[in-house]
């Protein structure tokens, strides 16, 4: 389950922040709540407000921060099977 969601937030942030930022996966945890015996899906969101907050936190070259996001792996009935929490390192070039 983790492999399905691992790089998504990092790739989204690389694309949305653009070439003035370095983005790395810093750490992740997964909490398994029930077996994933059916097809699962996840919804990834990085809002414009979150991007604005990242940019505001990194006004000068070399500034860096860690940001955290969580995503749920959900079946067709809406039951959560796992929760993945990601810490993403972001640095202004």
């Amino acid at each position: 389950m983790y492999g399905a969601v691992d790089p998504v937030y990092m790739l989204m942030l690389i694309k949305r922040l653009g070439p003035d930022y370095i983005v790395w996966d810093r750490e992740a945890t997964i909490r398994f709540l029930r077996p994933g015996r059916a097809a699962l899906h996840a919804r990834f969101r990085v809002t414009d407000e979150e991007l604005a907050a990242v940019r505001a936190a990194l006004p000068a070259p070399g500034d860096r921060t860690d940001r955290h996001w969580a995503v749920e792996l959900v079946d067709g009935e809406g039951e959560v099977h796992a929760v993945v929490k990601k810490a993403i390192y972001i640095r202004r070039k």
Side-chain angles (χ1 to χ4, degrees), residues 50-71:
E50 289 171 315
L51 288 176
V54 167
R55 288 185 175 109
L58 306 174
D63 288 349
R64 59 187 178 268
T65 188
D66 284 347
R67 295 292 172 150
H68 299 86
W69 279 272
V71 63

Side-chain angles (χ1 to χ4, degrees), residues 44-86:
F44 299 88
R45 289 190 184 111
V46 177
T47 66
D48 292 339
E49 292 80 16
E50 289 171 315
L51 288 176
V54 167
R55 288 185 175 109
L58 306 174
D63 288 349
R64 59 187 178 268
T65 188
D66 284 347
R67 295 292 172 150
H68 299 86
W69 279 272
V71 63
E72 296 177 336
L73 289 140
V74 181
D75 66 17
E77 312 254 324
E79 288 196 61
V80 178
H81 289 253
V83 178
V84 176
K85 294 182 180 178
K86 299 286 293 185

Side-chain angles (χ1 to χ4, degrees), residues 2-76:
Y2 174 74
V5 301
D6 177 33
V8 176
Y9 275 112
M10 183 187 69
L11 295 172
M12 287 174 66
L13 289 163
I14 288 170
K15 175 115 174 116
R16 295 202 60 205
L17 287 170
D20 292 336
Y21 296 86
I22 294 171
V23 181
W24 297 337
D25 275 328
R26 169 81 71 183
E27 65 184 66
T29 61
I30 185 167
R31 181 177 172 126
F32 296 101
L33 303 173
R34 56 182 49 91
R37 295 191 178 115
L40 302 175
H41 65 273
R43 181 169 293 174
F44 299 88
R45 289 190 184 111
V46 177
T47 66
D48 292 339
E49 292 80 16
E50 289 171 315
L51 288 176
V54 167
R55 288 185 175 109
L58 306 174
D63 288 349
R64 59 187 178 268
T65 188
D66 284 347
R67 295 292 172 150
H68 299 86
W69 279 272
V71 63
E72 296 177 336
L73 289 140
V74 181
D75 66 17

